[in-house]
Amino acid sequence: MTPREKSPTSRRTQAAPPRPSRSAAARADADADAGLPLAALVGRPNVGKSSLFNRLVGGRPALVEDQPGVTRDRRYGVADWGPARFRVVDTGGLDPGADGILKAMRGQTLRAVDEADAIVFVVDGVEGITAVDEDVAALLRRAGKPVLLAVNKIDNVKHEAAAADTYRLGFDRVFPFSASHGRGVGELLDALVPELGPSARRASAPPAPTGGDAPAGADAAADADARPDEPIRIAFVGKPNVGKSSLVNRLLGEERVLVHDAPGTTRDPIDTPFVADGRAFVLVDTAGLRRRRSIDTLTEHVAAKMARDQLARADVAVLVIDAREAATAEDAKLASLIEESGRPAILVLNKKDLVGRADVDAKLTATREQLPFMKHAPVLLTSATTGAGVADIPRAAARVFAQSSRRITTGELNQLLEGILAHQPPPAGPGGRHVRLYYITQAQARPPTFFISANHPASVTYAYRRFLINQLRKAYGFEGTPIRIVLRAHKQKRKAYPRPRAED
């Protein structure tokens, strides 16, 4: 079998669990993954660790660019190799003498080294050994863990001679490979698996790939039937430097994602399993989103797109706002993205410890005024620094997720509609046209979507649609979640109105 044929099979990663509605077997498989041995990919910045990570674990890729420091947090995944299954952690560049944000990245990498069962030390075979590589080698020797030296960018036989110089780092197991082409990866994994111990092997073959996440436009009705013990994916979104990573770390009780006072610290979305009050969650820390005209690098552009993509995968969106500023016009644009996605939302005013008590009410009022279309979303005041209010986030997320998943029987809905029409019938349409509403039914959940049959759908005004939504909220709550109304022509009028109109 050639190295190309032996390239690792693509597997669902622990860092990117699929949306709800997994089978019981899949849930058990994910639980077992947490106990697998761990291999850490370590090396100085920009040697190809993330490219190797993507090749090993498949699934949603890590952000890769020819620029040092793109990866900053620990990013976990699961890889299969023959009968073996193990976890892999991608780390930021390790530079023992670095300062500033690179020093913070070093702390994240050292945590990965501490918890790893084996280490893959990645170096650049084209650039050759540098003083930083030698410093990293000295640090890894002191760690007392098995170390495999992986020499990247050896794309063909002609480049293999460049790997000979790497032996001076003092490691006797050297593996030339190419992360971009897959050359030599099989040999590296053959040597890595025995170092991970017997727990990396399993008797049965891996299950077939799940086929990936549901597309963003998939019918949400299937989600409504998800079992109550499925993890709830919470995506933290917001402008740069509002405290998203700090909130995630406070919930986890450790510095799992890198926190620095420089805006834009988070690049890749970081998925982390979490349990609160007996309920399973997946916390997703995303890159800070700025106005498109303010994005000036390819890395930032890709990171912003990945952050937006998280809304399509999330079950609940947490919009984090700097309490010192209250909601701004930029926050309103992010809130619009959440509303358009149909995801239930929570508004979190973070850094409350930096706001005087006398100003708190004013900040809350200003936020509500800036985001009038999000009045259904609960507002939490938190401080990632002190921990105040942070524990309320998963509780609120579970609550709004349950509200978004609610289904109301057709009989109950039509009793409500009958009472609404008796009290406030729709206004006449153009030219005095009489507008009648006949029937209502809930078509799906997440978000709650209702079909209403009418004789003249186009003549139902925007104001009356909003009135109907408000009446549904008054009757059934639906805290935190958008509500969709689709007006459809009565069966005698279908030909005149072939395309139903939706209103939120």
Side-chain angles (χ1 to χ4, degrees):
M1 183 178 288
T2 65
R4 183 179 183 84
E5 291 170 333
K6 291 173 67 177
S7 63
T9 55
S10 177
R11 291 288 303 160
R12 181 182 73 249
T13 67
Q14 191 181 44
R19 285 181 62 88
S21 69
R22 294 181 299 168
S23 67
R27 289 197 304 275
D29 186 46
D31 292 340
D33 289 348
L36 293 173
L38 179 67
L41 308 182
V42 178
R44 62 180 170 85
N46 210 37
V47 293
K49 298 183 296 297
S50 292
S51 296
L52 178 58
F53 177 86
N54 291 344
R55 181 167 288 278
L56 295 182
V57 307
R60 184 168 54 85
L63 185 59
V64 177
E65 189 181 342
D66 187 17
Q67 172 185 331
V70 171
T71 301
R72 295 176 173 179
D73 303 283
R74 288 174 285 163
R75 181 181 175 87
Y76 293 79
V78 175
D80 288 309
W81 183 244
R85 182 173 173 82
F86 57 95
R87 292 186 299 149
V88 183
V89 56
D90 182 24
T91 66
L94 179 56
D95 184 348
D99 294 318
I101 197 167
L102 291 178
K103 182 177 180 180
M105 289 164 55
R106 180 181 68 194
Q108 290 286 319
T109 302
L110 292 178
R111 287 184 175 89
V113 169
D114 288 341
E115 64 180 332
D117 297 284
I119 298 166
V120 178
F121 178 17
V122 184
V123 298
D124 189 326
V126 174
E127 187 174 340
I129 299 304
T130 68
V132 175
D133 289 321
E134 293 176 346
D135 291 341
V136 173
L139 187 151
L140 294 181
R141 279 194 294 270
R142 294 194 298 269
K145 303 288 181 71
V147 177
L148 279 64
L149 182 59
V151 187
N152 192 22
K153 305 181 184 179
I154 308 300
D155 299 337
N156 52 55
V157 177
K158 296 179 181 179
H159 293 158
E160 287 188 357
D165 183 52
T166 62
Y167 279 95
R168 65 188 175 92
L169 291 175
F171 300 102
D172 56 357
R173 290 177 293 179
V174 178
F175 300 89
F177 80 102
S178 171
S180 59
H181 298 160
R183 184 177 185 271
V185 174
E187 287 78 2
L188 173 62
L189 291 175
D190 284 342
L192 174 62
V193 168
E195 299 297 343
L196 295 173
S199 59
R201 296 189 175 275
R202 63 191 193 284
S204 59
T210 62
D213 296 327
D219 186 353
D223 287 348
D225 297 326
R227 294 167 62 101
D229 58 347
E230 295 289 357
I232 299 174
R233 291 183 61 84
I234 307 176
F236 289 76
V237 298
K239 298 182 300 185
N241 214 31
V242 293
K244 300 182 295 296
S245 298
S246 297
L247 287 171
V248 171
N249 286 338
R250 171 62 73 165
L251 282 168
L252 296 174
E254 63 166 321
E255 192 173 344
R256 176 66 179 271
V257 291
L258 188 148
V259 177
H260 197 271
D261 56 6
T265 299
T266 301
R267 296 282 181 79
D268 272 312
I270 304 299
D271 295 10
T272 310
F274 171 73
V275 176
D277 298 328
R279 184 67 193 259
F281 299 87
V282 175
L283 307 182
V284 185
D285 182 29
T286 67
L289 296 174
R290 298 193 294 164
R291 292 187 296 270
R292 291 182 186 273
R293 66 173 179 269
S294 301
I295 298 176
D296 51 10
T297 67
L298 176 61
T299 299
E300 192 174 0
H301 175 78
V302 174
K305 182 181 184 303
M306 293 174 75
R308 291 186 176 91
D309 290 344
Q310 291 305 308
L311 286 177
R313 303 176 62 242
D315 296 311
V316 177
V318 174
L319 177 58
V320 183
I321 300 167
D322 192 326
R324 296 171 298 179
E325 302 176 358
T328 64
E330 200 165 345
D331 292 313
K333 291 179 181 179
L334 297 179
S336 295
L337 288 176
I338 295 172
E339 191 76 358
E340 290 168 8
S341 74
R343 300 304 184 257
I346 303 168
L347 305 179
V348 172
L349 270 63
N350 191 35
K351 305 184 182 181
K352 63 172 284 189
D353 54 307
L354 303 180
V355 178
R357 291 187 178 181
D359 296 329
V360 169
D361 289 342
K363 299 299 182 182
L364 288 171
T365 300
T367 296
R368 284 301 192 190
E369 290 176 350
Q370 182 68 250
L371 308 175
F373 56 92
M374 295 288 284
K375 62 183 180 180
H376 56 271
V379 180
L380 303 180
L381 285 167
T382 67
S383 170
T385 302
T386 67
V390 176
D392 293 333
I393 294 176
R395 298 183 190 123
R399 190 170 68 249
V400 300
F401 178 74
Q403 290 289 302
S404 181
S405 305
R406 288 190 67 186
R407 285 187 174 274
I408 312 301
T409 65
T410 298
E412 190 175 349
L413 285 170
N414 280 282
Q415 287 181 2
L416 175 67
L417 180 63
E418 183 179 350
I420 293 172
L421 296 177
H423 180 264
Q424 183 67 54
R433 177 182 293 166
H434 183 57
V435 177
R436 297 186 63 184
L437 306 182
Y438 299 104
Y439 185 84
I440 182 173
T441 186
Q442 184 173 358
Q444 66 180 46
R446 304 186 195 168
T449 302
F450 301 89
F451 284 176
I452 298 180
S453 177
N455 61 344
H456 299 294
S459 297
V460 180
T461 64
Y462 173 81
Y464 195 77
R465 294 187 189 108
R466 296 301 307 176
F467 168 74
L468 291 174
I469 289 173
N470 290 337
Q471 293 302 304
L472 286 168
R473 289 198 188 282
K474 182 178 179 180
Y476 303 115
F478 291 119
E479 180 191 16
T481 183
I483 295 176
R484 307 285 194 234
I485 284 184
V486 179
L487 289 160
R488 301 194 302 179
H490 196 50
K491 58 184 179 181
Q492 291 89 350
K493 300 284 186 177
R494 291 268 168 89
K495 294 183 180 180
Y497 303 97
R499 300 180 63 184
R501 298 180 59 183
E503 183 61 38
D504 175 25

